[in-house]
């Protein structure tokens, strides 16, 4: 599954890791749909990758019955094989069960999701580092971080390294069976660019052939709420109203609300936008639904500048709109009955036409 940005709404860092899922030899019926006479067939998909991870977790539980589910998950992530992709695509990397089975060091949790740290996310998270070896370990945590995609979600090549996070302490000595807490704190400057950031905390130990790692991520965007006031100044709150934000002049960011309900909230990069709202699509729904008043359809549009890393509200007031009357006839000139309508807006050279 190819993912280039975090999970929508929560902006959690996903996936956790990846596993083999292409041309896996799977048992199938020898007759009927999706069958093969041999009883085996190469199959692609997450339905193939998921059993790899489930089976790996089961083997770790058998090998380490005292481990918690969080420790099992972290072991698989700490020692996953880095495929060279960003964390929003590969997670911690590809499943590597032999390395996860016999670790000297375990770092829990296996990933740090800061979400939208300048809005409602957090700027400080911790990792518990445990020594599973029989000797004292000297551990050196190091951190790498880069901007991997712009605010519109377009991957950057090359990525842009930044120094927006601090890991502490810089070194620690862990006796066998002991644990310590390592803190990762974001230090984001006000002028930081919109976009999606990801990195890793590496826990290096001298003489070890393996390095445990924890990947981290956050996004710098703005949150915009679109409100619509009806002709009397009352806020419209309900279903059947589409809100759209379109960044100009590129029209490289266009977002709309699903379900069709206002107020509507969007998370977008900063810039100049047209905010739009459409509603009351069923002109004569009052004829079909007893008690529903007749509705006048509307299209409301206004320009707005969205500041970086801000929480803003845009209010579209139908009292400021102009009324248009449409007399529709068929090809013979007879009055036409219009039951519903739709609207589209065109952008040309950054201008709404």
């Amino acid at each position: 599954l190819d993912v280039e940005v975090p999970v929508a709404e929560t902006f959690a860092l996903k996936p956790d890791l990846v596993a083999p899922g292409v041309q896996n030899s799977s048992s199938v019926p020898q007759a009927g749909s999706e069958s093969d006479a041999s009883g085996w067939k190469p199959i692609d998909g997450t339905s193939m990758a998921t059993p790899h991870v489930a089976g790996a977790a089961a083997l770790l539980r058998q090998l380490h019955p005292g481990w918690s589910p969080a420790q099992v998950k972290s072991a698989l992530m700490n020692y996953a094989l880095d495929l060279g992709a960003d964390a929003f695509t590969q997670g911690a990397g590809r499943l590597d069960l032999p390395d996860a089975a016999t670790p000297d060091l375990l770092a829990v949790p296996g990933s740090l999701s800061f979400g939208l740290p300048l809005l409602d996310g957090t700027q400080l998270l911790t990792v518990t580092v445990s020594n599973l070896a029989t000797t004292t370990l000297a551990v050196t945590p190091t951190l790498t971080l880069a901007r991997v995609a712009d605010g519109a979600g377009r991957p950057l090549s090359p990525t842009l390294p930044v120094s927006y996070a601090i890991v502490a302490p810089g070194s620690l000595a862990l006796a066998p069976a002991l644990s310590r807490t390592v803190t990762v704190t974001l230090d984001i400057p006000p002028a930081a660019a919109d976009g999606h950031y990801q990195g890793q905390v590496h826990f290096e130990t001298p003489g070890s052939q393996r390095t445990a790692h924890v990947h981290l991520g956050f996004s710098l965007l703005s949150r915009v709420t679109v409100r619509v006031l009806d002709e009397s100044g009352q806020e419209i709150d309900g279903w059947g109203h589409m809100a759209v934000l379109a960044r100009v002049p590129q029209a490289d960011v266009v977002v709309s609300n699903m379900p069709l309900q206002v107020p509507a909230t969007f998370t977008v990069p900063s810039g100049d936008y047209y905010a739009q709202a459409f509603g009351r699509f069923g002109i004569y729904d009052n004829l079909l639904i007893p008690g529903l008043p007749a509705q006048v359809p509307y299209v409301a549009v206004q320009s707005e500048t969205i500041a970086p890393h801000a929480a803003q509200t845009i209010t579209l007031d139908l009292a400021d709109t102009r009324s248009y009357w449409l007399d529709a006839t068929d090809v013979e000139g007879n009055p036409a009955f219009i039951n519903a309508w739709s609207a589209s807006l065109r952008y040309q050279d950054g201008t709404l036409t």
Side-chain angles (χ1 to χ4, degrees), residues 35-347:
S35 64
D36 190 279
S38 68
W40 300 92
K41 188 175 182 180
I43 300 178
D44 301 343
T46 52
S47 294
M48 296 294 101
T50 301
H52 278 84
V53 182
L59 290 172
L60 288 187
R61 288 283 284 175
Q62 182 183 35
L63 187 61
H64 304 284
W67 280 10
S68 68
Q71 288 175 310
V72 171
K73 178 180 178 180
S74 292
L76 294 174
M77 296 172 67
N78 288 168
Y79 296 97
L81 178 65
D82 187 355
L83 300 178
D86 64 74
F88 300 134
T89 299
Q90 69 167 18
R94 194 199 70 196
L95 179 72
D96 189 340
L97 182 56
D99 276 2
T102 56
D104 291 334
L105 194 74
L106 201 59
V108 181
S111 66
L112 300 175
S113 292
F114 289 90
L116 297 165
L118 298 185
L119 292 176
D120 53 6
T122 181
Q123 298 191 47
L124 185 151
L125 291 172
T126 60
V127 179
T128 300
V129 185
S130 303
N131 182 359
L132 306 183
T134 57
T135 60
T136 297
L137 295 177
V139 183
T140 303
T142 60
L143 187 146
T144 58
L145 182 66
R147 181 171 175 251
V148 300
D150 68 11
R154 293 173 298 222
L156 302 179
S157 183
T159 59
L160 302 177
V162 296
S163 301
Y164 296 169
I166 302 167
V167 59
S171 63
L172 59 156
L174 278 180
L178 289 186
S179 301
R180 287 279 301 276
T181 298
V182 172
T183 300
V184 177
T185 306
L186 299 184
D187 184 17
I188 303 170
D194 290 340
H196 305 282
Y197 296 76
Q198 67 92 18
Q200 286 188 338
V201 181
H202 305 272
F203 297 94
E204 301 174 355
T205 54
S208 176
Q209 300 297 315
R210 300 174 297 175
T211 299
H213 62 271
V214 170
H215 62 294
L216 61 99
F218 62 89
S219 299
L220 300 183
L221 297 168
S222 299
R223 178 173 288 127
V224 180
T225 298
V226 177
R227 301 169 61 241
V228 182
L229 304 183
D230 66 17
E231 293 84 350
S232 64
Q234 298 298 308
E235 181 168 7
I236 295 175
D237 184 0
W239 185 88
H241 305 268
M242 173 176 282
V244 180
L245 284 178
R247 188 164 70 170
V248 292
Q250 307 95 328
D252 59 338
V253 177
V254 179
V255 292
S256 59
N257 59 328
M258 290 299 290
L260 303 178
Q261 186 168 346
V262 291
T265 300
F266 307 98
T267 306
V268 294
S270 58
D272 295 326
Y273 282 78
Y274 277 117
Q276 308 146 35
F278 316 85
R280 305 169 183 160
F281 299 97
I283 300 175
Y284 292 110
D285 283 353
N286 61 307
L287 301 180
L288 305 174
I289 304 175
L292 185 71
Q295 302 188 95
V296 178
Y298 70 86
V299 177
V301 184
Q302 74 182 44
S303 60
E304 194 81 21
T305 297
I306 297 174
H309 322 149
Q312 288 183 227
T313 297
I314 298 174
T315 301
L316 302 174
D317 192 343
L318 299 190
D320 296 332
T321 60
R322 292 171 291 177
S323 296
Y324 293 87
W325 294 91
L326 175 64
D327 291 324
T329 59
D330 61 20
V331 293
E332 297 178 350
N334 301 313
F337 178 79
I338 302 174
N339 181 59
W341 65 280
S342 63
S344 62
L345 300 179
R346 186 179 72 170
Y347 295 93

